[in-house]
Amino acid sequence: YGLLAPWLGFYWDDWPYVWLLHFFGPSEFFAAQRPFRPLLGPIYAATTTLLGGNPLIWQLAGLAARVFLSLELWYVLRLVWPSQRWNLIWVVLLFTVYPGYQQQWVAFTHINQEFIPLIWLIASFGITAWAIRYTRHQRSLTILALILQALGLFATEYFFGLEILRFFFIVAILAETMTTWKDVLKKAGLYWLPYLGVWTLNALWTYAYHLSAAYKSYGIHILSGSSLSPLAIGNEILNTLSLSGFMSWLSAFNIFSPIDGTLTQALSLLIFLFSAFIVFILMQFIHNDDRKMDQGQVKSDTWSLWAMAMGLIAIFAGRLPSWAAGLPLKLEFDYDRFMVSIMLGASMFIVGLATYILKNGKRKLVILSLLIGLSTAYQFNAANTFRRDWDNQRAFFWQLIWRMPSLKKGTALLTYELPLKYVSDMQITAPINWIYAPTMTDRELPYLLIYIKSRFNSSVLPSLQPNTPIQAQYRTAHFDGSTSNSVTIYKDADGCLRALDSVYGNSETVPGASYFLLNAIPLSNLDQIQAGAPQPTPDRTLFGSEPAHDWCYFYEKAELARQQFDWEQVVKLYDQARKNGFSASVPAENLPFIEGLATPGQTDAALELTARTLKAQKELCAAALTLWDPVSQTSPTLDMSEVNAHIRRAGCKRH
């Protein structure tokens, strides 16, 4: 988890939170969390006061939290099953690298939202187990366990269902010394009764708060008839067990599919081999040591049934909150965040199943070592995708700065979607405001980025008609704008950022684009871009130093010059780009340079570039024809028959 920490940053809800911290301070989290999870506010305020807003510090804190969580779980499980050291180490190792959960690097959000509450809840389990097993200071320890239980459950609903594990942990401890199940269950119920009371209060409070006017997030869907039908429940059980108990582990094999010989894959292979080997040696040594201590196979056979049963219970208990909210369980961002409450159950289940089928022999040792090695490499692969996305985020922001040195307040940036994996529109809104409004002090948000894909026909973006109000509540800030004060942008994975409009970036320049994006192009008002303003200097810690000037720099600056009809500057930028060995990332990026060359009269160069562009992407024929028409009107000496001949030879026809 920590190998790539220096090259990782902020993702998903990290951005809005760190933006709030920077501009309004830690106390802002009390109000910011009130409509969602009000008791998370104090946690965020405390951790941000301590750790600040540096992404590296949060990545290291996430690593420390994950290590502590695993060590804590190891201690608690050992209190419950002291004779199962070997099997419990397997559970903890698999829990630590569980491949179904891949959001370790959304550190700012998940340390506060999940790791800290889970640490509290597991600590509460441990204190309960200690009090029962050693019987000293039971009353004081029970009070402490109840406080930690309340902290873990009331802060977030993620771990609501896991409380049931406490009861079964108590049963497992009592079953060691009591002979009849009736007595075990009766005494376990008495021990669990105070915790059941807190659990019930938590359920009532959560239900009441979700129905209150203060709550502004996911509703409770579990009470709908369709959710409780036998078919829906059966489908949910099969899907949850399949994804968390089996498919999540099998997904780790994807690190070698396909085999492409990249550096990432080579590093993954080394990590896999090293991890599997170290685990194999360590676990073989521990197993041999346990044999000397006469920890027999009979106990492991019994424990395997316990582990499978409790693993299944924990899987479905962990799924309960997200299912109640009507949210799907998937092995993909960002739905895999729900696996954080399932990974303990999934780890117990798979170790129990392996023990039941393979016993405690060599096959189990080899298979689980390989599974841990694969999962470790898989998590490294996942970390590398976050590293790439951080690089892509920074590249996007710098291209935005180059193309739009300043924006008028109240500007909404419209796009269908951006090729950024771990952030979306509302989250990217925070750094955009950080760049263009670095000294804001009020709650009126100057800028907003909108994904038409997800916001169209909503309260944020009711329609794509001119003068339609755009309004959005952004935690404790508010944006108030209009579709007529928007700029439509477009970026594919391989190309540079483009500001579209009806003249220079019309629908002909983005063939194959979404219907929604094309409908937003007529709204794009490039007057919102203040072309003559000085370029902002964003925070280097977050946005990095200005990168070396590659093709996209010259393209963005050429588009900016084109917007000001500075054709001399466009040609100058084209010459500089060629001199440095750069060429268009995608063919459409040649269009401003074609017009720039043609307007001052460099017709031959413009025609040659037109031919190369159309050869690379014939779908730009209409855009090329539209581009040359105004050039012919401003250049009376231009021979349009020659232009049309060049375009026809490229396979285009003038309609």
Side-chain angles (χ1 to χ4, degrees), residues 396-414:
F396 166 77
F397 294 133
W398 276 104
Q399 289 176 33
L400 191 69
I401 290 168
W402 291 333
R403 177 63 183 89
M404 306 176 191
S406 182
L407 289 168
K408 293 180 181 178
K409 289 187 176 181
T411 299
L413 298 177
L414 305 180

Side-chain angles (χ1 to χ4, degrees), residues 326-459:
L327 297 167
L329 187 67
K330 298 179 181 180
L331 295 175
E332 61 184 52
F333 191 85
D334 61 353
Y335 296 108
D336 63 319
R337 70 187 188 274
F338 304 133
M339 290 290 184
V340 71
S341 57
I342 291 174
M343 58 190 184
L344 173 56
S347 302
M348 291 179 65
F349 173 75
I350 204 69
V351 176
L353 184 63
T355 304
Y356 183 77
I357 295 174
L358 304 174
K359 309 303 180 185
N360 282 339
K362 282 283 187 183
R363 289 182 300 167
K364 175 182 171 182
L365 178 63
V366 170
I367 289 173
L368 291 184
S369 296
L370 291 174
L371 186 57
I372 290 169
L374 283 168
S375 299
T376 306
Y378 187 74
Q379 292 289 6
F380 170 75
N381 265 14
N384 199 40
T385 65
F386 278 87
R387 180 193 63 80
R388 291 194 193 103
D389 202 67
W390 183 238
D391 288 344
N392 291 338
Q393 285 185 51
R394 286 177 158 186
F396 166 77
F397 294 133
W398 276 104
Q399 289 176 33
L400 191 69
I401 290 168
W402 291 333
R403 177 63 183 89
M404 306 176 191
S406 182
L407 289 168
K408 293 180 181 178
K409 289 187 176 181
T411 299
L413 298 177
L414 305 180
T415 189
Y416 182 70
E417 190 177 25
L418 293 171
L420 299 172
K421 186 174 182 180
Y422 298 121
V423 284
S424 65
D425 54 347
M426 289 299 177
Q427 289 130 12
I428 306 173
T429 288
I432 288 175
N433 280 275
W434 205 323
I435 291 168
Y436 291 113
T439 60
M440 70 169 287
T441 55
D442 58 25
R443 300 298 194 281
E444 293 301 314
L445 201 66
Y447 311 104
L448 186 72
L449 177 70
I450 298 176
Y451 277 5
I452 305 171
K453 174 183 178 180
S454 51
R455 309 295 173 184
F456 177 69
N457 202 24
S458 70
S459 58

Side-chain angles (χ1 to χ4, degrees), residues 140-250:
S140 299
L141 290 174
T142 299
I143 292 172
L144 178 58
L146 288 168
I147 292 171
L148 288 170
Q149 177 200 24
L151 290 172
L153 294 181
F154 280 84
T156 177
E157 74 285 352
Y158 269 77
F159 309 111
F160 172 80
L162 291 186
E163 172 58 32
I164 193 65
L165 278 179
R166 189 193 310 265
F167 174 77
F168 289 101
F169 285 159
I170 295 171
V171 169
I173 295 171
L174 296 178
E176 291 180 12
T177 56
M178 300 180 71
T179 55
T180 65
W181 280 108
K182 181 179 179 181
D183 291 339
V184 169
L185 294 174
K186 181 179 178 181
K187 193 168 184 179
L190 290 174
Y191 273 122
W192 190 49
L193 193 58
Y195 305 103
L196 177 61
V198 173
W199 198 24
T200 303
L201 285 175
N202 176 244
L204 293 174
W205 180 86
T206 301
Y207 181 74
Y209 196 80
H210 276 62
L211 295 182
S212 72
Y215 185 73
K216 306 294 182 183
S217 191
Y218 298 112
I220 299 176
H221 297 277
I222 196 173
L223 301 180
S224 67
S226 58
S227 297
L228 295 177
S229 68
L231 183 61
I233 292 175
N235 181 68
E236 180 60 41
I237 290 172
L238 290 174
N239 183 63
T240 299
L241 179 59
S242 171
L243 287 177
S244 60
F246 297 100
M247 294 304 298
S248 57
W249 302 111
L250 293 174

Side-chain angles (χ1 to χ4, degrees), residues 10-33:
F10 290 131
Y11 312 91
W12 202 48
D13 284 345
D14 289 354
W15 270 119
Y17 289 143
V18 78
W19 177 79
L20 286 171
L21 171 66
H22 178 80
F23 286 92
F24 305 112
S27 62
E28 190 72 7
F29 289 104
F30 291 95
Q33 287 294 343

